[in-house]
Amino acid sequence: MKFLIFGPPGSGKGTYSSEIEDKIDVEHIATGDMFREAVKKDTELGNKVEEYLDKGELVPDELVNEVVREKLKEIGMEGFILDGYPRTVEQAKFLEELVDIDALILLDVTDDIIIERLSSRRICKECGEVFNKLFNPPEEEGICDECGGELYQRKDDKPEVIKDRIETYEERSEPVISYFEDKIPFVVNKCREANAPIDGMVNNIIEGLEEKGLV
Ligand code: AMP
């Protein structure tokens, strides 16, 4: 199956996808994670994208498209859940040419929730595990439960950058929803609580996929 998971920053795309990956046979591919990894490893790609990531701006389409094309080729073009891509209509058109998508999982959350969640998100410097002070706190503050690494706040999760990211989402990414609306099935997951339990949300998504005969 080939799924997209779509929603504003902080809607839970990464968190839910990691769980979904364990429950159904799909590989979680997150462009944001790939870029952060490249920055950490100081690769050529990392150097090209670092400034965009720090400012919460979109990486140019050509660059993202190429990274996704390579990745999908590597996994044989199937069995994936794409998180954070496409984020523009141009990217959506590129993806469509590349592969047929089976469904879009849409995460519907309010701006208040986004702001609350993103400002309390912390990431492990070593293994990239994501925690959230609100609903998924580490056992020991500032320390990763998985590997003992130090937790940090993404530069783009600082309040002044969050506002810009929401604006970018509304202007550049929301049109992707209408683009796909009449083309592929949608599974909509509504969330109205910042600390909604992850399990419940993931179960709703899987039930939605089952109802549409997609898993
Ligand atoms: P994320 O982890 O999905 O929030 O992505 C972090 C950052 O990576 C974004 O703020 C962008 O700078 C960049 N990025 C990730 N995916 C894309 C994409 N599809 N198009 C453009 N930029 C992206």
Side-chain angles (χ1 to χ4, degrees), residues 4-146:
L4 306 179
I5 188 158
F6 194 90
S11 54
K13 299 186 292 293
T15 307
Y16 302 155
S17 303
S18 323
E19 299 286 320
I20 293 170
E21 178 180 49
D22 292 339
K23 292 185 192 258
I24 57 177
D25 194 18
V26 288
E27 181 168 336
H28 175 205
I29 298 175
T31 43
D33 288 349
M34 288 160 79
F35 290 144
R36 274 186 293 281
E37 189 65 22
V39 171
K40 192 172 137 193
K41 289 193 176 145
D42 203 16
T43 64
E44 200 184 325
L45 174 68
N47 292 333
K48 283 187 193 159
V49 301
E50 185 167 15
E51 213 178 312
Y52 295 103
L53 262 72
D54 285 352
K55 290 187 185 156
E57 289 172 6
L58 292 185
V59 170
D61 289 334
E62 310 78 62
L63 200 50
V64 193
N65 287 342
E66 201 43 43
V67 166
V68 171
R69 196 166 68 90
E70 282 305 309
K71 185 70 193 176
L72 293 186
K73 217 163 81 183
E74 194 186 301
I75 65 158
M77 294 286 174
E78 59 184 324
F80 59 78
I81 180 161
L82 257 180
D83 154 13
Y85 181 93
R87 252 177 162 100
T88 64
V89 170
E90 289 70 25
Q91 292 176 15
K93 288 181 178 164
F94 180 86
L95 179 67
E96 244 185 347
E97 293 281 309
L98 211 57
V99 65
D100 289 332
I101 299 296
D102 294 302
L104 184 148
I105 301 160
L106 179 63
L107 304 180
D108 172 1
V109 302
T110 57
D111 285 2
D112 290 354
I113 293 183
I114 298 172
I115 294 163
E116 207 178 337
R117 275 198 187 155
L118 290 181
S119 42
S120 38
R121 177 158 74 178
R122 297 292 182 272
I123 320 273
C124 175
K125 263 187 188 161
E126 302 304 323
C127 70
E129 188 72 16
V130 182
F131 296 88
N132 196 297
K133 290 180 169 186
L134 284 179
F135 54 88
N136 178 29
E139 273 171 31
E140 196 181 332
E141 193 174 336
I143 306 289
C144 175
D145 290 352
E146 300 295 322

